[in-house]
């Protein structure tokens, strides 16, 4: 008998307190939005470190009767104290259900925008994390998106960004981005300490495609209690100097924290499913299949990104809509690794 590898997905679903609110963006309405403004008598922007120095103190206020908002989320419209939704709007062009969120450049004719879990800082220097209940740190931030690319953005050497100072002139293409900070409030210092973070960008696609932004854990023995989460239509939304890609439009739907884990063990099988070629970029042929059994292709986070019904012992599968990376092909209880280039 021929030995092949079985990858077993172990699903660990967590309490609702750890799930994102309104994750399928089905619910929009009129809400009161909490805003924050730094006190610039005690806080100042440091161009050497690209951060705000000071005591972090400021004033909270309320933008009343903000319309067209995705319930449970903050948006770029909040940052500019815009009562009516203009940059982040409800759309019926959804991956599933009846609606999704559409993020477009709407400020000053070309400014970037975002939807996320944060309190908007109206000076656009920063976004303030909010309290969020966790019992563990997620492995990734997953969902579905599509993105229309706008114009590229170029910054000279020395430009301050939230990623630090640019060493050389840098051009940034228009991409959809996912950014998150998982933080723990330290009552002794009065500061939020970084526990884990995620930052990933994804290119232009015309049809809804799954995305997965891995979470990088910095303090594995600490459970966060604050969250800053941003989905943006540019490669970064946080100040200073957020990227502006005129014409950039992103659609986002069905987002979630992924807590699933993946384990590997071996078993004996008389029949090996064959994938040719592997790695592949556009098309694969899969052989030695069981008719009337489906094929499921999972991303590394355990999400099904393709499902194909099998009618005979071989089939060709189009992979052109999958992003490059590692996937798992499962058929009739057997699994194989698949690499998309």
């Amino acid at each position: 008998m021929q030995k092949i590898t079985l990858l077993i997905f172990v699903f660990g679903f967590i309490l609702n307190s750890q799930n994102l609110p309104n994750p399928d963006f089905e619910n929009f309405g009129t809400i009161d939005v909490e805003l924050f403004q730094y006190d610039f008598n005690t806080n100042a922007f440091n161009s050497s470190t690209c951060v705000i120095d000071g005591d972090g103190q400021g004033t909270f206020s309320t933008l009343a009767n903000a319309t067209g908002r995705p319930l449970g989320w903050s948006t770029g419209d909040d940052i500019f104290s815009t009562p009516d939704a203009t940059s982040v709007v409800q759309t019926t062009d959804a991956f599933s259900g009846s609606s999704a969120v559409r993020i477009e450049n709407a400020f000053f004719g070309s400014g970037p925008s975002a939807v996320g879990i944060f309190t908007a800082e109206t000076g656009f220097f920063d976004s303030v994390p909010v309290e969020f209940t966790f019992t563990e740190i997620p492995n990734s931030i997953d969902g579905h998106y599509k993105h229309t690319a706008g114009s590229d953005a170029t910054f000279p050497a020395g430009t301050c960004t939230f990623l630090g100072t640019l060493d050389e002139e840098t051009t940034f293409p228009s991409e959809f981005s996912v950014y998150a900070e998982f933080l723990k409030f330290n009552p002794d210092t009065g500061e939020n300490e970084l526990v884990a973070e995620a930052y990933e960008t994804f290119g232009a696609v015309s049809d809804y495609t799954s995305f997965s932004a891995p979470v990088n854990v910095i303090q594995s023995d600490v459970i966060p209690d604050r969250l800053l989460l941003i989905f943006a239509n540019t490669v970064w939304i946080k100040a200073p100097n957020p990227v502006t890609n005129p014409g950039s439009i992103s659609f986002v739907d069905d987002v979630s924290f992924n807590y699933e884990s993946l384990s590997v063990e071996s078993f004996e099988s008389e029949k090996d499913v064959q994938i040719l070629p592997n790695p592949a970029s556009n098309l694969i042929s899969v052989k030695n299949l069981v008719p009337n059994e489906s094929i499921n292709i999972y991303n590394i986070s355990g999400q099904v990104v393709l499902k194909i019904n099998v009618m005979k012992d071989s089939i060709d599968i189009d992979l052109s809509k999958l992003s490059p990376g590692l996937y798992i092909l499962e058929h009739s209880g057997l699994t194989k690794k698949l690499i998309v280039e």
Side-chain angles (χ1 to χ4, degrees), residues 170-219:
T170 306
T171 297
F172 297 91
S174 170
E175 294 182 320
F176 168 70
S177 66
V178 180
Y179 177 80
E181 295 177 1
F182 302 84
L183 306 122
K184 177 72 173 180
F185 180 72
N186 186 330
D188 295 329
T189 63
E191 296 181 352
N192 292 316
E193 298 178 352
L194 187 62
V195 176
E197 60 184 350
Y199 179 65
E200 198 77 23
T201 62
F202 304 89
V205 288
S206 57
D207 296 319
Y208 273 104
T209 303
S210 65
F211 69 81
S212 183
V215 174
N216 176 38
V217 178
I218 298 168
Q219 301 185 64

Side-chain angles (χ1 to χ4, degrees), residues 58-213:
T59 303
F60 286 93
S61 61
T62 299
L63 174 64
N65 298 318
T67 62
R69 272 16 184 218
L71 302 185
W73 296 83
S74 296
T75 73
D77 295 299
D78 305 340
I79 294 171
F80 287 92
S81 303
T82 307
D84 300 323
T86 57
S87 71
V88 178
V89 298
Q90 185 176 20
T91 175
T92 57
D93 185 357
F95 173 75
S96 68
S98 60
S99 74
V101 68
R102 182 180 189 267
I103 310 169
E104 61 181 321
N105 297 50
F107 301 112
F108 315 123
S110 62
S113 194
V115 62
I117 306 294
F118 58 84
T119 296
E121 197 282 298
T122 56
F124 203 55
F125 283 101
D126 208 350
S127 296
V128 180
V130 299
E131 294 185 12
F132 201 90
T133 302
F134 291 96
T135 59
E136 63 177 297
I137 303 170
N139 296 325
S140 62
I141 305 164
D142 298 347
H144 291 84
Y145 86 105
K146 61 180 179 177
H147 179 76
T148 299
S151 303
D152 292 346
T154 300
F155 289 88
T159 299
C160 274
T161 77
F162 85 88
L163 301 173
T165 305
L166 298 180
D167 294 329
E168 57 186 8
E169 181 179 275
T170 306
T171 297
F172 297 91
S174 170
E175 294 182 320
F176 168 70
S177 66
V178 180
Y179 177 80
E181 295 177 1
F182 302 84
L183 306 122
K184 177 72 173 180
F185 180 72
N186 186 330
D188 295 329
T189 63
E191 296 181 352
N192 292 316
E193 298 178 352
L194 187 62
V195 176
E197 60 184 350
Y199 179 65
E200 198 77 23
T201 62
F202 304 89
V205 288
S206 57
D207 296 319
Y208 273 104
T209 303
S210 65
F211 69 81
S212 183

Side-chain angles (χ1 to χ4, degrees), residues 238-257:
K238 280 170 62 67
N241 300 312
V243 168
T244 295
N245 298 113
S248 174
I249 302 174
S250 296
F251 295 75
V252 190
D253 203 3
D254 292 350
V255 295
S256 64
F257 287 143

Side-chain angles (χ1 to χ4, degrees), residues 2 271-276 278 284-289 315 329 336:
Q2 190 172 14
K271 193 174 188 179
D272 188 359
V273 173
Q274 294 183 0
I275 304 174
L276 298 171
N278 191 10
I284 57 171
S285 293
V286 187
K287 301 180 179 180
N288 294 336
L289 301 173
I315 192 172
L329 185 148
K336 297 281 285 186

